[in-house]
Amino acid sequence: MHVVDHTKGQPSESETRNVLTESARIARGKITNLARLSAANHDAAIFPGGFGAAKNLSTFAVDGKDCKVHEDVERVLKEFHKAGKPIGLCCIAPVLAARVLRGVEVTVGHEQEEGGKWPYAGTAEAIKALGAKHCVKGVSEAHVDQKNKVVTTPAFMCETELHHIHDGIGAMVKKVLELCGK
């Protein structure tokens, strides 16, 4: 959508980036275009979230509950779901599943801001408007939708210390691996 200068918290007008190139830089390893991802070749899919999920993997940042999901993201979610393979999503990424997988249970944390601790609490209402069930969870917890094999955790939807976010993401990954039988 656009490049953000995180030192200023504002879009950088003079800079452009390629999502695939940035992904390779951040991951420091071999990556593949999402268009090539197939449930047949993997045990699970995990979407790490971050504001990029709301801006580049969907239009949620602009359109809220009326968002569209990137066609490859939608395909991957549906393919893994149909194959009965686990899907993990954290931070804002659960809105992707809420949009694509009707009736799915997800969490983005709490439903009230609680004095600024949960600044994106309104996302829970958008999830409900998309036809999904929002389950209130703490930042260090993960919610498991056993029926749909979808595991979610709030991550950076909460203003807290990093170790609490780490614990929640770890819980999500652990539950995804358990659903894989690992």
Side-chain angles (χ1 to χ4, degrees):
M1 183 176 169
H2 57 258
V3 177
V4 175
D5 177 346
H6 289 281
T7 62
K8 298 176 183 170
Q10 298 175 349
S12 175
E13 301 299 327
S14 62
E15 196 174 350
T16 60
R17 293 188 188 160
N18 177 286
V19 173
L20 196 59
T21 302
E22 285 299 298
S23 297
R25 182 184 62 80
I26 292 167
R28 295 183 180 190
K30 182 179 174 184
I31 64 161
T32 305
N33 191 312
L34 189 59
R36 296 180 52 200
L37 179 61
S38 169
N41 301 326
H42 298 280
D43 294 328
I46 294 181
F47 289 82
F51 209 38
K55 292 179 177 182
N56 300 314
L57 301 184
S58 72
T59 63
F60 186 81
V62 175
D63 299 327
K65 66 178 180 54
D66 298 318
C67 69
K68 291 179 178 57
V69 173
H70 186 283
E71 65 184 65
D72 284 322
V73 174
E74 182 171 354
R75 178 191 56 78
V76 167
L77 288 169
K78 286 179 176 178
E79 189 177 309
F80 276 78
H81 183 256
K82 184 177 179 182
K85 294 188 175 183
I87 301 166
L89 306 105
C90 66
C91 195
I92 192 71
V95 301
L96 303 172
R99 182 66 168 145
V100 173
L101 305 175
R102 221 47 189 152
V104 70
E105 295 177 7
V106 299
T107 190
V108 289
H110 288 205
E111 296 178 353
Q112 302 297 317
E113 288 192 19
E114 299 175 23
K117 182 173 181 181
W118 295 92
Y120 310 104
T123 305
E125 288 305 314
I127 284 170
K128 293 175 191 177
L130 288 167
K133 178 180 179 186
H134 183 261
C135 302
V136 174
K137 291 287 182 178
V139 69
S140 61
E141 299 176 291
H143 177 74
V144 181
D145 177 343
Q146 292 285 350
K147 178 184 169 196
N148 291 297
K149 290 193 174 181
V150 172
V151 185
T152 53
T153 190
F156 288 94
M157 299 298 279
C158 181
E159 289 292 330
T160 190
E161 294 86 11
L162 286 174
H163 66 93
H164 296 300
I165 294 165
H166 171 272
D167 292 346
I169 294 170
M172 177 197 66
V173 171
K174 181 179 179 186
K175 296 294 184 186
V176 166
L177 291 173
E178 287 174 6
L179 288 172
C180 289
K182 305 239 179 229

